[in-house]
């Protein structure tokens, strides 16, 4: 598929459906050594999902366990149509 057709397809899908991506990234840990790449990886995934596929991005960085559960519960409580997409990514 060429770039023009891909862009048109993404635009049409975005018009007819809601695409949400909830991207969690944690590089700060309480009981382990901190990691270097999760924030970078999550931001790269978020950019790709937004720019190439039209997802509405919710990037959540260094959240506590309670904040993560609240976010998941929030998106689980929403009503979705058959065309809508909900994508979770953890880094």
């Amino acid at each position: 598929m060429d770039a023009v057709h891909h862009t048109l397809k993404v635009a049409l899908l975005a018009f007819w459906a809601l695409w949400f991506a909830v991207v969690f990234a944690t590089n700060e840990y309480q009981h382990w050594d901190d990691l270097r790449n999760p924030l970078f990886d999550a931001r790269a995934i978020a950019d790709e999902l937004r720019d190439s596929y039209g997802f509405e991005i919710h990037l959540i960085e260094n959240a506590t366990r309670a904040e993560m559960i609240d976010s998941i519960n929030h998106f689980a409580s929403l009503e979705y149509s058959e065309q809508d997409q909900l994508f979770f990514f953890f880094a």
Side-chain angles (χ1 to χ4, degrees), residues 3-81:
V4 172
H5 287 109
H6 175 75
T7 302
L8 288 172
K9 180 180 177 183
V10 168
L12 286 172
L13 288 172
F15 180 76
W16 292 107
L18 298 174
W19 287 18
F20 296 106
V22 183
V23 180
F24 294 98
T26 300
N27 65 354
E28 298 173 359
Y29 290 92
Q30 191 172 22
H31 301 289
W32 296 296
D33 293 338
D34 291 348
L35 300 176
R36 295 182 184 168
N37 291 328
L39 293 178
F40 174 79
D41 294 345
R43 290 172 185 156
I45 292 290
D47 289 346
E48 185 70 24
L49 290 171
R50 182 187 56 251
D51 298 343
S52 296
Y53 300 99
F55 276 81
E56 179 180 319
I57 302 299
H58 299 271
L59 180 60
I60 302 166
E61 297 181 355
N62 293 311
T64 65
R65 182 174 187 259
E67 291 168 334
M68 292 173 70
I69 291 170
D70 286 346
S71 295
I72 292 168
N73 286 336
H74 167 74
F75 282 95
S77 71
L78 299 177
E79 291 188 28
Y80 300 97
S81 73

